[in-house]
Amino acid sequence: GVGFATRQVGSMTKPTTIISQEGDTIILKTQSTFKNTEIKFKLGEEFDETTADDRKVKSLVTLEGGKLIHIQKWNDKETSLVREVNGNQLVLVSIK
């Protein structure tokens, strides 16, 4: 699992997320004072991801109704992250 100190610091950060596209590949960069991450993927295609808290997961990102749905699976567990554009901001609207 995630250590107490990492969880505390991570919960206080306000990351900046930058999404760009090269051909049919999406690049999602997350930058914060705590840690920077970058993933590259194609919508609807499963890929290997190492999360900010160092989990090795199988991820799948789809675009549904203007929302980016990001599913991460590992060790019989699953997390879903839903991001949507709200004005000029990309908002993480739910984590399950």
Side-chain angles (χ1 to χ4, degrees):
V2 178
F4 177 76
T6 301
R7 188 178 306 111
Q8 291 301 104
V9 172
S11 70
M12 293 186 292
T13 61
K14 301 286 186 229
T16 298
T17 301
I18 301 165
I19 298 177
S20 58
Q21 187 171 0
E22 292 178 3
D24 57 355
T25 299
I26 307 293
I27 301 149
L28 193 145
K29 296 179 183 179
T30 303
Q31 301 171 337
S32 73
T33 54
F34 176 60
K35 191 167 191 174
N36 297 330
T37 62
E38 177 179 303
I39 57 173
K40 295 182 179 185
F41 57 90
K42 293 181 181 178
L43 290 174
E45 292 185 16
E46 189 175 70
F47 62 97
D48 294 319
E49 177 185 2
T50 301
T51 63
D53 58 1
D54 290 324
R55 286 176 292 125
K56 307 284 190 228
V57 301
K58 292 284 187 187
S59 288
L60 177 69
V61 181
T62 56
L63 185 60
E64 299 173 22
K67 297 178 183 179
L68 273 180
I69 312 296
H70 185 168
I71 307 295
Q72 299 171 327
K73 295 181 180 182
W74 76 104
N75 296 339
D76 294 326
K77 298 177 185 174
E78 182 176 305
T79 298
S80 62
L81 301 100
V82 179
R83 297 174 176 95
E84 68 181 350
V85 174
N86 183 357
N88 260 353
Q89 295 183 324
L90 179 72
V91 179
L92 183 60
V93 294
S94 80
I95 301 175
K96 295 181 186 176

